[in-house]
Amino acid sequence: MLKTSDAVDFVNRIAGQSGAKSDGDYEKDGILYCGRCGAPKQAWIDWFPDKDGNPQKNLVRVMCRCDIAEESAEKERREQERFDESMRSVRLALHTMRDDVRWRFDQDDAPENPIARVCRKYVDQWGEMRADNMGILFYGSKGTGKTFYASCIYNALKEKRVLVGFTSAPNLMNILGKWDKTEIFDAITRPQMLVIDDLGAERDSSYSAELMYSAIDARYKTGKPTIITTNIDKDDMEKDEDLWRSRIYDRVTEMCPIPLKMQGVSRRGAIADARKEKAREFLR
């Protein structure tokens, strides 16, 4: 059994009673105060009664505001390090390049359009989206902003320290054919939100379709939100009679109950034209 004197020594040692004083610290009414924030670094607490049963008090170390802030900052740093390591692991397994996910909401040249508002709302209400497994299907013609908004959501959630993943369908088929499938499927299922970009651009073969279905199905079974972009119209998905593709599209429409049709002039084409014009001006 621990003696009272031993208990006092133990608490004092753990609490840092010895050597607790730093430059600028001062004593007032028998208690040590922090010289930086002015908060007490010691406090009297009720302790074991003496041998005659008289109540006793003991002076122990407490955390001042500086200590609390430093501990909080250290905890934040460790959590960020763990998150960054998890993100690196997913990116490496999915062979995600930095340029794939470079776009953010502050780069949007039409932030008030309905699609942009839905995407920002999705991020703002992420807790509810995650709980209800609400994914997004971006579909429409090339260059209309599907990958842009998927990337914006990806980066906004990453800033909230949500573990996210990003891959394209062609890239996914490529790495599944060359690398360890167990590691890749882990990277597909682990993120809280996964983007699969450009579905339908992968090689059209029964083997590729079967492999893609396996990947989509693995993600489906996690019950976690998925964002998918495709040039295939939603109506065409529903009419496709190919066995494997129809199974893929069935999964996609169930996983992504928020369908967003991207319309209008190709942004990519407009940007390319602007760059060409700038180049011509430069060469004149």
Side-chain angles (χ1 to χ4, degrees):
M1 183 174 178
L2 191 67
K3 296 180 180 178
T4 300
S5 58
D6 293 336
V8 172
D9 290 340
F10 174 77
V11 169
N12 285 337
R13 191 163 59 251
I14 296 299
Q17 188 78 359
S18 300
K21 191 171 184 179
S22 302
D23 290 343
D25 290 355
Y26 59 94
E27 290 187 10
K28 181 181 178 182
D29 300 326
I31 292 179
L32 186 67
Y33 285 80
C34 176
R36 290 184 294 168
C37 68
K41 300 179 76 172
Q42 294 176 325
W44 290 103
I45 64 170
D46 293 332
W47 199 239
F48 297 98
D50 63 18
K51 61 182 180 179
D52 297 323
N54 298 314
Q56 300 289 307
K57 288 187 177 293
N58 189 49
L59 188 63
V60 298
R61 172 76 186 274
V62 295
M63 296 178 69
C64 66
R65 288 190 291 270
C66 297
D67 292 334
I68 293 171
E70 289 172 4
E71 183 181 74
S72 177
E74 177 60 20
K75 181 181 179 182
E76 175 73 13
R77 184 189 65 78
R78 291 195 301 267
E79 289 179 354
Q80 187 64 47
E81 282 185 351
R82 286 193 291 269
F83 175 74
D84 290 342
E85 182 56 37
S86 295
M87 284 295 304
R88 278 192 293 271
S89 175
V90 169
R91 287 173 68 94
L92 285 171
L94 293 177
H95 293 245
T96 301
M97 304 303 292
R98 189 171 299 277
D99 282 350
D100 291 337
V101 287
R102 64 184 182 275
W103 293 292
R104 300 173 183 275
F105 282 120
D106 59 9
Q107 297 170 295
D108 191 0
D109 58 4
E112 295 307 316
N113 77 75
I115 298 291
R117 289 200 297 270
V118 169
C119 292
R120 292 196 301 272
K121 185 176 180 181
Y122 184 85
V123 173
D124 292 340
Q125 298 185 9
W126 166 249
E128 185 178 345
M129 299 297 98
R130 170 66 185 91
D132 293 338
N133 187 18
M134 302 288 281
I136 298 176
L137 174 64
F138 291 102
Y139 67 100
S141 55
K142 295 180 180 179
T144 49
K146 300 182 298 294
T147 303
F148 173 83
Y149 282 118
S151 176
C152 288
I153 293 173
Y154 170 97
N155 282 306
L157 289 178
K158 183 161 70 74
E159 289 174 3
K160 290 174 173 281
R161 207 178 283 159
V162 175
L163 184 62
V164 288
F166 189 105
T167 187
S168 69
N171 176 63
L172 192 54
M173 293 301 95
N174 182 48
I175 60 178
L176 279 171
K178 295 180 179 179
W179 303 92
D180 182 353
K181 288 183 175 61
T182 301
E183 182 181 1
I184 296 166
F185 271 80
D186 175 69
I188 291 171
T189 57
R190 192 158 27 116
Q192 294 298 300
M193 191 282 292
L194 176 70
V195 175
I196 301 178
D197 191 36
D198 219 4
L199 180 68
E202 67 277 7
R203 188 175 59 187
D204 188 11
S205 69
S206 57
Y207 173 73
S208 294
E210 184 177 354
L211 204 58
M212 176 58 75
Y213 175 77
S214 298
I216 293 285
D217 188 58
R219 182 65 189 178
Y220 170 82
K221 289 175 179 175
T222 66
K224 299 174 184 176
T226 306
I227 291 176
I228 292 176
T229 79
T230 181
N231 295 333
I232 304 169
D233 191 88
K234 189 170 179 290
D235 290 340
D236 293 335
M237 287 187 184
E238 295 170 355
K239 297 174 184 176
D240 200 307
E241 295 181 355
D242 178 85
L243 176 61
W244 283 110
R245 288 200 301 269
S246 64
R247 293 182 71 188
I248 291 170
Y249 299 151
D250 283 346
R251 282 282 187 262
V252 167
T253 53
E254 188 174 349
M255 294 163 67
C256 304
I258 305 174
L260 298 177
K261 185 173 183 177
M262 309 298 291
Q263 303 180 79
V265 178
S266 169
R267 287 187 175 195
R268 195 179 303 143
I271 292 171
D273 289 343
R275 286 171 58 83
K276 287 178 183 176
E277 181 60 30
K278 186 174 183 179
R280 283 194 291 268
E281 290 290 336
F282 180 77
L283 293 172
R284 285 174 185 170

